[in-house]
Amino acid sequence: MLQTFIMSTAIALDNPLVRKRIYSIDLLRGLVMIIMALDHVRDYFHADAFLYDPLDLEKTNVILFFTRWITHFCAPVFVFLAGTSAFLSGQRKTKKELSLFLLKRGLWLVFIELFITNFGWNFAITFPTILFIVIWALGISMIILAALIHLPTTFILITGILLVAGHNLLDGIHFTGNNWPAFGWSLLHEPNFFTWQGRLVFIGYPVIPWIGVMALGYCLGQLYTTDFDPNRRRKILLVISAAAIGLFILLRLTNFYGDSSPWSRQQSVFFSFLSFLNTSKYPPSLLYILMTLGPAVLFLAFTERTNHAFAKWVSVYGRVPMFYYLVHIYLIHLLAMIFSEIFTVFDWRNWILQQPLWFNDALKGYGYSLGIVYLVWLFVVIALYPLCKKYDRYKQNHKEKWWLSFL
């Protein structure tokens, strides 16, 4: 028994991912998962969520604008770090094993999006609305990455840069109508609504730029191999961050390229600044990606040695992101049903939605103040911590269970 213990310990210490856990990645991912819940609580609880876009500068206020804007960081960081995690996972697999894993996990994520998350958003067993949003894009990006990893890393990097930086050249291409060419183009680049067998289909996350984001995240993983000097890594991260932020400022100031919605002067200097920040998410423009991933990489550079109590608390969410994502959707939806039944005249059955949340006439007039939104958000995040902690511990203690890597 002692010999078995010594051998297993030696093997664990030889594993680069066990020997040196990258806390900054867990911390960043956990932070964006927490922020993400704010946007979803706002969708279900804020009175104005049913009336107008919080980024509409003619109708919004500063607090509401930033409540929505800060959540812009979530999807790009989530997809980017998924690519980084794929690279790190590949350090203990052959290329063939990693490719097969990415293919299977990508297909699984597409299934999750179409059935598990779609049901979570609507609670309608007939699936009257089908949403192709972030988990769909994550899954397709993973499937493409399964093929890309067999190519030289330089080629993967160039592919990622071209997809992220060049996809806005396609902004002028449009397909109209409820037909297959329009649907196919929407899956690739242009968000749109369609109808299919009486169902409403919304393509919210076209995949071209997201594939590029994941490819870039995969390349970033090379900086986190065990033989890479931490000081050199930090310098490279700072250069990447400075370049991204600097390019964002330059392109945005000139309105030269990179976003289909140029900024403009508003009624005040500050609102002009908000217009400057108001980049396009659907699909994520080059400027949107620079604006979010630039600061994210800067965060990685300065938090590598961060290991205080709060960081450990946040990192729990970052170690179980998919589990947290799925559970939080169901919890928020259930809470909205309970709130509407107890505190309003709206029947809980209105939340079994036959159309997208934002266009449901049965919920017109429903909603709470932004203060309530923040209180519910804090409750959701704190309430899910024990469950995430328990699941994280279970994953750590049962690494031999293959299915845990899919959730």
Side-chain angles (χ1 to χ4, degrees), residues 200-276:
L200 185 63
V201 179
F202 174 55
I203 313 296
Y205 278 67
V207 297
I208 287 179
W210 296 112
I211 293 169
V213 169
M214 182 171 286
L216 294 177
Y218 180 84
C219 295
L220 186 83
Q222 290 191 95
L223 302 182
Y224 288 94
T225 54
T226 53
D227 58 347
F228 205 97
D229 178 59
N231 292 323
R232 183 174 173 229
R233 173 169 55 244
R234 185 180 185 186
K235 290 178 182 178
I236 293 174
L237 291 174
L238 289 173
V239 169
I240 293 172
S241 175
I245 295 172
L247 185 58
F248 163 73
I249 294 172
L250 176 63
L251 290 176
R252 192 60 167 164
L253 276 173
T254 60
N255 278 331
F256 173 70
Y257 173 77
D259 200 287
S260 58
S261 301
W263 76 281
S264 59
R265 295 186 182 277
Q266 302 295 312
Q267 67 269 26
S268 69
V269 173
F270 190 74
F271 266 71
S272 295
F273 172 66
L274 297 187
S275 177
F276 188 86

Side-chain angles (χ1 to χ4, degrees), residues 373-383:
V373 169
Y374 274 87
L375 289 175
V376 175
W377 168 58
L378 291 174
F379 172 81
V380 168
V381 172
I382 294 170

Side-chain angles (χ1 to χ4, degrees), residues 33-41 324 328 332 377 380-381:
M33 297 308 289
I34 290 171
I35 294 172
M36 174 195 64
L38 174 61
D39 195 39
H40 298 156
V41 171
Y324 170 85
H328 100 286
I332 293 169
W377 168 58
V380 168
V381 172

